[in-house]
């Protein structure tokens, strides 16, 4: 089975721009969770989608949003980028409320 | 905010020794616990999950859970230089598929 895929792998943006990241879960997995990883804050939960519905949301500003499509693929969007948004963004897939498998991540640099 | 705590290390052990990694958690309601390994510049990779009190063994790895003490540990037997990585402890807390991660323990195995 193919693993979790994320695109793009690397992104460089400037402050004020917006960005969209994509995640394709493992085939058959319906839950997609997103995390942000920074050296200072570690891994932090952004949100989780299951069957196109956001079921859970972390403590991030409204500039961070996401959605999930009927094929379980998910996107997250960050608007009005700030320098502090530079991070590794990780997507994880799972069947339901169970073991999560991470994709390779998208490294976002905001200049 | 429920927390997961780990000693950041680095934990340095000689090749062939047993590495012992520890983790405590604050949410008494947590039922599922996970150990991930993360190499520098890569995404987290699942090593083990544990749900019941006691030990769970998988090859050179043994996870131990003590819910009364709110303590999870990971033992790595016959440590190899390739085990050098950051080890992340995580548990579900705060709703659907929200993993709370510790800051991670950096392990260095020297020849």
């Amino acid at each position: 089975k193919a693993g979790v895929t994320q695109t793009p792998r690397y992104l460089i943006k400037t402050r004020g721009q917006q960005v969209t990241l994509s995640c394709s879960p493992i085939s058959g997995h319906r839950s997609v969770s997103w995390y942000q990883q920074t050296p200072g804050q570690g891994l932090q939960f952004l949100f989780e989608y299951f069957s196109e519905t956001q079921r859970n949301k972390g403590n991030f500003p409204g500039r961070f949003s996401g959605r999930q499509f009927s094929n379980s693929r998910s996107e997250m969007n960050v608007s009005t980028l700030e320098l502090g948004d530079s991070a590794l963004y990780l997507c994880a897939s799972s069947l339901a409320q169970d073991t999560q498998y991470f994709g390779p991540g998208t490294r976002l640099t905001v200049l | 905010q429920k927390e997961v705590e780990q000693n950041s290390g680095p934990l340095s052990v000689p090749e062939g020794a047993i590495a012992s990694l520890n983790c405590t958690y604050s949410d008494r309601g947590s039922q599922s616990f996970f150990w991930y390994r993360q190499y520098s510049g890569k995404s987290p990779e699942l090593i083990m999950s544990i749900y019941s009190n006691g030990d769970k063994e998988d090859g050179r790895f043994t996870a131990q859970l003590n819910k009364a003490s709110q303590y999870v540990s990971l033992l790595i037997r016959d440590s190899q230089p390739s085990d050098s990585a950051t080890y992340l402890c995580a548990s579900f807390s705060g709703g659907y598929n929200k993993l709370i991660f510790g800051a991670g323990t950096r392990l260095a195995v020297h020849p």
Side-chain angles (χ1 to χ4, degrees), chain A:
Chain A
K1 246 185 197 180
V4 181
T5 59
Q6 291 187 246
T7 57
R9 295 291 311 277
Y10 302 92
L11 266 178
I12 300 176
K13 293 286 187 179
T14 57
R15 281 177 296 175
Q17 289 187 308
Q18 74 167 22
V19 67
T20 299
L21 313 180
S22 180
C23 170
S24 292
I26 293 169
S27 178
H29 284 192
R30 297 168 65 189
S31 171
V32 173
S33 301
W34 288 90
Y35 295 84
Q36 180 196 66
Q37 187 174 31
T38 59
Q41 299 298 316
L43 265 159
Q44 293 187 290
F45 175 82
L46 280 157
F47 29 65
E48 188 258 7
Y49 287 87
F50 183 87
S51 294
E52 302 179 69
T53 300
Q54 185 184 89
R55 298 193 301 181
N56 204 353
K57 190 177 190 308
N59 189 26
F60 279 82
R63 300 186 296 107
F64 292 82
S65 62
R67 59 178 175 168
Q68 187 180 35
F69 302 96
S70 58
N71 62 358
S72 294
R73 189 177 70 86
S74 178
E75 290 181 347
M76 69 163 281
N77 185 77
V78 188
S79 62
T80 319
L81 284 166
E82 301 177 358
L83 294 178
D85 297 333
S86 294
L88 179 65
Y89 289 89
L90 292 158
C91 156
S93 85
S94 60
L95 281 169
Q97 170 90 353
D98 58 1
T99 304
Q100 295 186 9
Y101 299 91
F102 285 87
T106 295
R107 173 78 59 184
L108 172 64
T109 302
V110 182
L111 302 176

Side-chain angles (χ1 to χ4, degrees), chain B residues 6-15 17-23 35 71 73-77 79-81 83-87 104-110:
Chain B
Q6 298 179 254
N7 187 325
S8 61
L11 174 64
S12 182
V13 301
E15 184 174 356
I18 296 175
S20 178
L21 305 162
N22 305 313
C23 169
W35 283 99
Y71 176 90
S73 66
L74 179 70
L75 299 178
I76 306 174
R77 290 182 299 280
S79 294
Q80 301 297 309
D83 294 326
S84 299
T86 296
Y87 289 79
T105 298
R106 193 155 50 93
L107 173 66
V109 182
H110 53 86

Side-chain angles (χ1 to χ4, degrees), chain B residues 8-54:
Chain B
S8 61
L11 174 64
S12 182
V13 301
E15 184 174 356
I18 296 175
S20 178
L21 305 162
N22 305 313
C23 169
T24 59
Y25 61 95
S26 63
D27 185 359
R28 285 199 168 274
S30 293
Q31 298 293 321
S32 307
F33 302 88
F34 305 90
W35 283 99
Y36 288 87
R37 176 175 63 196
Q38 187 173 26
Y39 292 111
S40 181
K42 302 294 186 182
S43 64
E45 170 193 13
L46 179 72
I47 297 175
M48 291 189 71
S49 59
I50 187 165
Y51 308 100
S52 304
N53 276 330

